[in-house]
Amino acid sequence: MYKPTLDYAQQQDKEDKLAHLRAQFHIPKDAKGNDWLYFTGNSLGLQPKQTQQYIQQELDDWAKYGVEGHFEARNPWMPYHEFLTNSMAKIVGAKPIEVVVMNTLTTNLHLLMVSFYQPSKTKYKIVIESDAFPSDRYAVQSQLKFHGFDTEEGLIEWKPREGEELLRIEDLEKIVDEQGDEIALLLIGGVNYYTGQYLDIKRIAEIGHAKNCMVGIDLAHGAGNISPELHDSGVDFAAWCTYKYLNSGPGSLAGLFVHEKHAHNKELPRFAGWWNHNKETRFNMRQPFDVMPGAEGWQLSNPPILSMAAIRASLDMFEEVGMEALRAKSEKLTGYFEYLINQIDTDRIKIITPSNPKERGCQLSIQVKNADKSLHKKLTENNIITDWREPDVIRCAPVPMYNSFEDVYRMVEILKTLL
Ligand SMILES: *Cc1c(COP(=O)(O)O)cnc(C)c1O
């Protein structure tokens, strides 16, 4: 059904019901004013044009009200995080009580492990993917060390088989079957940042829970990209950043999910601050600590409103479009990208991302035989912004919010000439 022509790509853009969204973003341009072909929404999403006005409003209210802005601002700062909760919960398929926006991703993973990594002398190991994002690996290693365990011996890697790139769920099952009595936690990237593989989160939760292991998911490459249905999956916790597919700006705050089954468990060990204390008595100041129910019960500090304003600007767009429409376009757009790459007449190229749309988001990871970083440099010189990963993989994410079929077509045309 796809066709490898510019006409066809432009026709798809004409028929695309989400095509108008592109004009609502700042698309970076070269010196001559040509749009970059931006394929790194998996690393830093582009800026919605309305972000500036959302942040400006909080600056204005701060100027106007000073400290009174906590109550008097048009969007009062005291409950500001609550304005993000419903939209964020929809994006990850959670109930509002299960979600909060706070801190940054790696910090949230640590705070969640304070509660959900409770090792004993015999059940203490942690399972991660062998190609886990470095920050997640460092985080779990430091948790092992903090609890007095050896970081090598305590860490189990779920690896692709010899000669393969992707993970097989049967292999995780085998690890947990054989060593589950020693495993305390599975912490897995829902969408692998390197291969783009979207794992079966529900199945991972079942596998872990069958052996009484806690199960946590890093959704950095999933939130705003796929629909993870976190509540139904049954995972104990999850965390994700908002500056990738959620377009909320460099280093912006992160999301945190704690499953409803833990929402009212006040006995869970956790760190505390005034922001996870009962909000009815927070300002009485001399009350003993009384933890809030749900995900809000993991907050510590009053949050940076300017960053939250940027998240609101983005979430309002997601709210309007809906994940269902985004996913539908995404499958088509990435499918077209895959089709065009497969049309290139060369044996140097291999897509390592799964070809089944249910097992991936928008990203394709393309392995190029005998390539080095100079290919990435040449792509960049041609206004194509991609992510290079040593030794020979280009990661490209056509994002349904702002990338077009024409972007994808032009990118592959240029890639062809560079090979
Ligand atoms: C992007 C990313 C991070 C980044 O962590 P920060 O704490 O936001 O700096 C961590 N883990 C994964 C899997 C990521 O993709």
Side-chain angles (χ1 to χ4, degrees):
M1 65 172 184
Y2 292 129
K3 292 199 190 86
T5 64
L6 180 58
D7 271 358
Y8 173 85
Q10 289 173 336
Q11 188 58 36
Q12 292 311 297
D13 286 328
K14 267 197 204 117
E15 289 169 16
D16 171 17
K17 289 193 184 68
L18 305 187
H20 63 285
L21 295 171
R22 180 183 177 89
Q24 297 176 26
F25 284 86
H26 292 288
I27 312 281
K29 294 176 180 20
D30 70 4
K32 293 187 199 122
N34 300 311
D35 283 357
W36 281 358
L37 299 173
Y38 193 83
F39 288 103
T40 39
N42 59 324
S43 187
L44 182 69
L46 291 179
Q47 183 187 141
K49 288 181 178 165
Q50 66 185 17
T51 299
Q52 188 166 7
Q53 147 206 341
Y54 278 63
I55 294 177
Q56 189 61 49
Q57 181 172 323
E58 301 316 323
L59 288 172
D60 291 348
D61 283 353
W62 176 25
K64 195 166 161 192
Y65 299 112
V67 71
E68 297 301 322
H70 283 106
F71 302 98
E72 299 300 326
R74 277 161 287 180
N75 306 299
W77 305 328
M78 264 296 291
Y80 200 97
H81 74 271
E82 295 171 15
F83 306 144
L84 312 178
T85 300
N86 286 346
S87 313
M88 191 61 102
K90 271 194 222 167
I91 287 173
V92 294
K95 298 188 177 182
I97 195 174
E98 296 173 316
V99 170
V100 72
V101 174
M102 64 179 226
N103 298 326
T104 45
L105 170 53
T106 309
T107 309
N108 285 351
L109 289 176
H110 277 297
L111 290 175
L112 287 161
M113 282 191 275
V114 166
S115 302
F116 296 106
Y117 177 55
Q118 286 295 313
S120 72
K121 272 206 174 70
T122 53
K123 193 170 172 71
Y124 60 92
K125 293 186 180 177
I126 304 178
V127 181
I128 61 171
E129 326 106 273
S130 58
D131 231 322
F133 193 86
S135 195
D136 300 42
R137 175 181 295 265
Y138 302 149
V140 298
Q141 283 172 336
S142 66
Q143 285 283 337
L144 282 162
K145 208 167 160 186
F146 178 72
H147 286 280
F149 299 107
D150 186 282
T151 54
E152 298 248 319
E153 203 253 328
L155 194 65
I156 300 176
E157 292 189 3
W158 174 20
K159 294 190 186 74
R161 294 183 187 176
E162 191 71 31
E164 297 185 355
E165 306 285 345
L166 301 175
L167 294 167
R168 292 174 184 249
I169 198 86
E170 316 84 89
D171 295 346
L172 178 68
E173 212 162 4
K174 185 155 178 280
I175 291 171
V176 178
D177 256 1
E178 291 174 358
Q179 304 175 69
D181 293 341
E182 298 176 357
I183 297 171
L185 171 68
L186 316 184
L187 183 63
I188 307 291
V191 176
N192 184 271
Y193 82 103
Y194 174 53
T195 61
Q197 180 178 18
Y198 173 23
L199 294 159
D200 185 344
I201 293 172
K202 190 169 185 187
R203 190 77 199 101
I204 292 174
E206 286 164 1
I207 291 171
H209 292 158
K211 287 280 191 170
N212 290 320
C213 312
M214 286 290 176
V215 178
I217 299 292
D218 186 323
L219 272 181
H221 285 262
N225 180 24
I226 44 93
S227 298
E229 302 303 339
L230 279 180
H231 176 80
D232 291 344
S233 77
V235 300
D236 297 285
F237 67 89
W240 57 93
C241 51
T242 64
Y243 49 79
K244 290 172 179 165
Y245 294 106
L246 293 176
N247 309 325
S248 69
S252 193
L253 298 173
L256 172 140
F257 165 93
V258 173
H259 197 278
E260 192 180 28
K261 64 192 165 195
H262 302 297
H264 298 282
N265 182 358
K266 293 191 175 188
E267 302 310 310
L268 270 174
R270 71 179 91 202
F271 289 165
W274 68 331
W275 233 252
N276 52 353
H277 174 82
N278 181 351
K279 65 183 164 197
E280 305 308 323
T281 59
R282 186 179 290 150
F283 288 92
N284 298 356
M285 298 298 191
R286 289 185 181 81
Q287 299 280 330
F289 182 69
D290 174 18
V291 72
M292 291 172 85
E296 289 182 326
W298 272 264
Q299 302 171 105
L300 300 181
S301 298
N302 84 100
I305 299 301
L306 300 181
S307 176
M308 285 206 163
I311 300 176
R312 261 188 80 220
S314 170
L315 293 187
D316 282 358
M317 293 183 79
F318 276 85
E319 185 72 28
E320 210 176 300
V321 187
M323 278 311 296
E324 207 175 320
L326 279 171
R327 267 309 291 162
K329 173 174 174 186
S330 183
E331 286 193 14
K332 230 176 168 179
L333 187 64
T334 294
Y336 187 50
F337 189 26
E338 178 183 44
Y339 162 83
L340 290 175
I341 288 174
N342 288 335
Q343 296 272 311
I344 303 177
D345 188 19
T346 170
D347 55 6
R348 284 183 63 199
I349 281 199
K350 184 177 127 196
I351 298 172
I352 61 181
T353 308
S355 56
N356 179 354
K358 305 276 173 272
E359 293 173 31
R360 69 184 184 201
C362 68
Q363 172 187 332
L364 292 184
S365 302
I366 307 164
Q367 196 167 39
V368 189
K369 247 188 249 165
N370 312 318
D372 56 34
K373 202 162 181 206
S374 68
L375 175 66
H376 176 255
K377 190 161 163 259
K378 281 185 218 146
L379 285 166
T380 309
E381 286 163 4
N382 281 280
N383 283 349
I384 301 175
I385 312 304
T386 59
D387 234 45
W388 177 259
R389 168 66 212 239
E390 295 292 342
D392 56 3
V393 170
I394 316 170
R395 295 182 299 158
C396 304
V399 171
M401 272 271 194
Y402 46 76
N403 281 119
S404 62
F405 287 83
E406 185 170 339
D407 279 350
V408 163
Y409 177 82
R410 291 194 185 280
M411 188 278 181
V412 178
E413 282 302 292
I414 296 168
L415 179 63
K416 252 194 258 183
T417 65
L418 296 179
L419 284 173

